[in-house]
Amino acid sequence: MKSIKNHLSLVIALVSILFSVQVLLISERSISAYKEKLAHDYSLVVVAQKKLNYSDIMKENSIIATITQLSPDNVIARLHTGMSAKNVALLKLTLPKFYNIKLKYYPSSSEIKILTKKLLRKPFITKVENFSNTHDLTYKLLLLFKKVITIFSVSMLIVTMLLIFKELKIWQFKHNERMNIMGLFGAPLWMRSAILFRLSIVDAIIASFVSFILFTLIASDDWIHEQFDSIGITVKIFDPFSDLMILTALAIVVSIVLSLLIILGHKEEV
Amino acid sequence: MDKVIIADNLSLAYSDDETIINKVKFSIDSGSFVFITGASGSGKSTLLKSLYGALNPQEGSLVVGGVELKGVSNAKLNFLRKHIGIVFQDYKLVKEWTIEKNIMLPLLINGYEKGVTQNQVDSLLKHVRLKHQAGKYPQELSGGEQQRVAMARALSHNPILILADEPTGNLDDYSAELIWNLLVGANEQLKTTVIVVTHHIPETIKVDYKHYHIEFGRINEVN
């Protein structure tokens, strides 16, 4: 019971830190998955008088993934009111060329503006439709979502860190007493500190294990996957290998830093 | 006879403007039993602290077990402390350890083998009549019992020197007698030097001892 109590305060604080970090990771992954989806769905339409040289344009604008010429057949079909085949062929020749440009990733508003300007600089490009209004709204919503999640996670991190620093004083007192007594019998600093490091590393491993269980349970919840499916993205909520490695490493680093703070703040009793 | 402590022109102070022990000179023979007495605030505990290196000499020289304590390095101080057993009035036991582990502490620091450590602890627990309490934590014991644990810890690694600060200050007669018997036993059987700081020397103690008295920052031999 006593031993559980000793571990609990640090374990809870560490789990809280790991939870915030994993939430940040999930939000980052969701946003990049959603950006990828938007990039896939999003395209610009370019109107040109001449046939475009794809390689030149792509070389100048590395953001462009593909350029596809749009067939004018659909437009002509709608206009086709008893025109002869010869006239239709003539019309096809005189009509400007329409192109669909897909991008490698979902761009920011300023990137869209720069790309539009660069394309319009070409003398034979007469119009670029970038659907900037729809794009701006979606992009701003995405940024807002990211900001809200970041603020939430960072606030949680700050509150946890403040709690840890408060706890630190209690631990400092408790460990100082033991370290002083060990020092009186000639224990070198490494031996006096070893117990503290061992305790904090054990706590870090316990916290990582608790987080592993927690996020494995969350990741197996169908409701969450349905929510992501409903917006058309698939997100890995918890990778049992790489995420666990990140969380364990972080927990150990935080614990070691806390232990070092206690050791550095240790004062020999006179 | 070898000297275990040599103080020469020794001054001790907690701050530059208040000297507690003022330019004293004394030496203590190895294997002797010494009482240091004095009124409250006379500096007896301060002197004891300096003997285990918790207080650096302000002036002069203090050699304990062959180690000069003025400006001593941490490594040398740790080496010296490994050969000293200390008993405090407030016991200084590690609260989150069982009494068995508390007694084991000096043995673990000195790198004794597990088997030797366990045998030594079992034997000491019998000596201080606490064998049945081995798994308990200090706060579960009475003051007298805690001091017996502290005594067992001080004896566990067969130190060359035992320093005791008011070891029976607040104890019942039974525990006090046990503590004195253990201190006398260590001195007579193991030839351990024992230095006890106290207000009163017990009348019933059966050992040849030296008596120093501290007054006005000076240390004087009484007998």
Side-chain angles (χ1 to χ4, degrees):
Chain A
M1 194 64 196
K2 202 176 172 63
S3 161
I4 292 171
K5 251 186 174 178
N6 283 341
H7 287 277
L8 211 58
S9 53
L10 182 58
V11 169
I12 290 171
L14 284 174
V15 168
S16 173
I17 289 174
L18 299 185
F19 186 83
S20 310
V21 169
Q22 188 62 27
V23 166
L24 274 175
L25 283 176
I26 295 169
S27 83
E28 201 58 49
R29 276 178 207 153
S30 314
I31 284 158
S32 61
Y34 196 64
K35 264 184 158 183
E36 221 171 89
K37 181 193 168 337
L38 285 176
H40 184 262
D41 295 347
Y42 178 76
S43 59
L44 293 95
V45 173
V46 170
V47 184
Q49 293 301 336
K50 279 201 313 189
K51 209 169 175 354
L52 292 183
N53 182 339
Y54 295 175
S55 59
D56 274 1
I57 292 175
M58 285 173 85
K59 212 182 279 174
E60 286 169 25
N61 303 283
S62 56
I63 192 173
I64 296 174
T66 58
I67 305 174
T68 329
Q69 189 172 359
L70 297 169
S71 165
D73 292 349
N74 287 340
V75 183
I76 291 167
R78 266 188 274 162
L79 298 170
H80 189 12
T81 48
M83 266 195 276
S84 68
K86 198 180 167 188
N87 282 343
V88 169
L90 194 67
L91 183 64
K92 262 190 188 176
L93 280 173
T94 52
L95 262 180
K97 314 278 180 248
F98 293 91
Y99 293 92
N100 180 292
I101 294 182
K102 286 220 173 264
L103 304 179
K104 285 178 185 163
Y105 59 91
Y106 194 63
S108 66
S109 304
S110 60
E111 280 176 304
I112 278 288
K113 271 183 197 158
I114 291 167
L115 179 64
T116 308
K117 267 187 189 168
K118 272 173 130 182
L119 289 171
L120 282 171
R121 253 183 247 145
K122 298 272 173 202
F124 41 85
I125 293 180
T126 54
K127 188 163 174 60
V128 176
E129 181 52 75
N130 57 24
F131 308 101
S132 61
N133 285 343
T134 325
H135 169 267
D136 266 8
L137 185 69
T138 318
Y139 193 75
K140 276 174 186 163
L141 271 173
L142 199 67
L143 288 181
L144 182 70
F145 173 69
K146 193 178 174 178
K147 262 186 194 157
V148 168
I149 296 281
T150 309
I151 288 169
F152 164 74
S153 302
V154 171
S155 316
M156 213 166 139
L157 267 176
I158 291 169
V159 170
T160 312
M161 290 311 281
L162 288 175
L163 282 175
I164 283 187
F165 278 113
K166 209 179 159 199
E167 275 286 313
L168 195 69
K169 284 188 180 164
I170 301 167
W171 296 334
Q172 209 148 31
F173 173 75
K174 207 163 72 181
H175 292 295
N176 260 351
E177 203 180 19
R178 192 194 53 240
M179 284 171 82
N180 274 328
I181 293 170
M182 290 179 81
L184 290 171
F185 288 90
L189 188 65
W190 69 263
M191 195 185 266
R192 283 181 259 168
S193 321
I195 297 165
L196 187 60
F197 279 114
R198 202 167 53 213
L199 190 77
S200 58
I201 288 171
V202 166
D203 287 359
I205 291 166
I206 294 171
S208 308
F209 183 71
V210 171
S211 305
F212 171 77
I213 302 278
L214 190 70
F215 282 104
T216 305
L217 285 173
I218 293 172
S220 64
D221 191 303
D222 287 340
W223 184 84
I224 292 175
H225 290 287
E226 279 164 18
Q227 302 312 303
F228 284 119
D229 285 346
S230 68
I231 53 168
I233 56 168
T234 312
V235 174
K236 193 148 211 170
I237 292 171
F238 186 70
D239 186 316
F241 183 72
S242 65
D243 285 358
L244 183 63
M245 293 282 274
I246 293 171
L247 296 186
T248 309
L250 180 72
I252 289 174
V253 167
V254 170
S255 305
I256 287 175
V257 168
L258 288 174
S259 305
L260 284 173
L261 286 174
I262 291 174
I263 291 160
L264 291 174
H266 168 71
K267 281 181 190 144
E268 289 280 344
E269 197 180 78
V270 178
Chain B
M1 192 171 269
D2 287 344
K3 304 283 183 195
V4 72
I5 294 169
I6 305 165
D8 187 20
N9 208 25
L10 174 71
S11 293
L12 299 171
Y14 290 105
S15 60
D16 289 343
D17 53 348
E18 197 187 1
T19 304
I20 312 256
I21 298 290
N22 196 7
K23 295 182 179 176
V24 298
K25 188 177 175 138
F26 66 93
S27 63
I28 290 172
D29 293 335
S30 181
S32 57
F33 199 110
V34 176
F35 280 106
I36 299 173
T37 57
S40 293
S42 60
K44 15 182 228 305
S45 293
T46 303
L47 178 65
L48 203 77
K49 276 181 183 175
S50 73
L51 297 180
Y52 59 83
L55 185 65
N56 211 13
Q58 185 193 36
E59 212 181 298
S61 158
L62 177 62
V63 178
V64 178
V67 176
E68 169 59 75
L69 290 179
K70 188 162 167 70
V72 67
S73 67
N74 282 336
K76 271 192 179 171
L77 187 60
N78 285 338
F79 170 79
L80 172 68
R81 284 176 175 180
K82 281 180 186 176
H83 298 93
I84 297 179
I86 317 171
V87 183
F88 299 92
Q89 193 176 7
D90 60 352
Y91 329 125
K92 292 207 189 301
L93 299 173
V94 181
K95 290 187 190 86
E96 59 269 29
W97 290 354
T98 60
I99 63 162
E100 191 173 41
K101 194 170 175 191
N102 267 288
I103 297 171
M104 238 176 234
L105 176 66
L107 296 162
L108 296 174
I109 291 168
N110 280 281
Y112 280 76
E113 277 177 30
K114 215 174 176 183
V116 178
T117 303
Q118 195 57 56
N119 288 343
Q120 179 77 334
V121 171
D122 287 345
S123 155
L124 282 163
L125 277 167
K126 263 185 218 159
H127 267 86
V128 294
R129 321 248 164 95
L130 289 170
K131 182 84 183 120
H132 57 295
Q133 313 262 42
K136 285 194 174 170
Y137 289 91
Q139 55 274 31
E140 295 174 299
L141 306 182
S142 69
E145 287 170 329
Q146 288 190 55
Q147 191 61 301
R148 276 142 65 188
V149 174
M151 192 66 225
R153 179 181 63 184
L155 292 169
S156 64
H157 52 306
N158 298 324
I160 56 159
L161 172 66
I162 291 178
L163 303 172
D165 189 3
E166 299 277 9
T168 57
N170 307 313
L171 303 190
D172 55 281
D173 291 346
Y174 173 75
S175 293
E177 197 188 332
L178 205 63
I179 299 288
W180 289 123
N181 287 342
L182 286 165
L183 287 171
V184 171
N187 176 252
E188 286 181 341
Q189 288 155 33
L190 305 169
K191 303 291 167 216
T192 309
T193 310
V194 178
I195 299 175
V196 181
V197 160
T198 184
H199 277 293
H200 302 288
I201 300 170
E203 286 165 12
T204 53
I205 196 151
K206 292 175 187 121
V207 69
D208 288 332
Y209 61 84
K210 270 195 167 185
H211 179 196
Y212 289 96
H213 188 74
I214 299 180
E215 203 171 25
F216 308 119
R218 310 292 297 178
I219 184 164
N220 306 302
E221 193 172 340
V222 178
N223 62 344

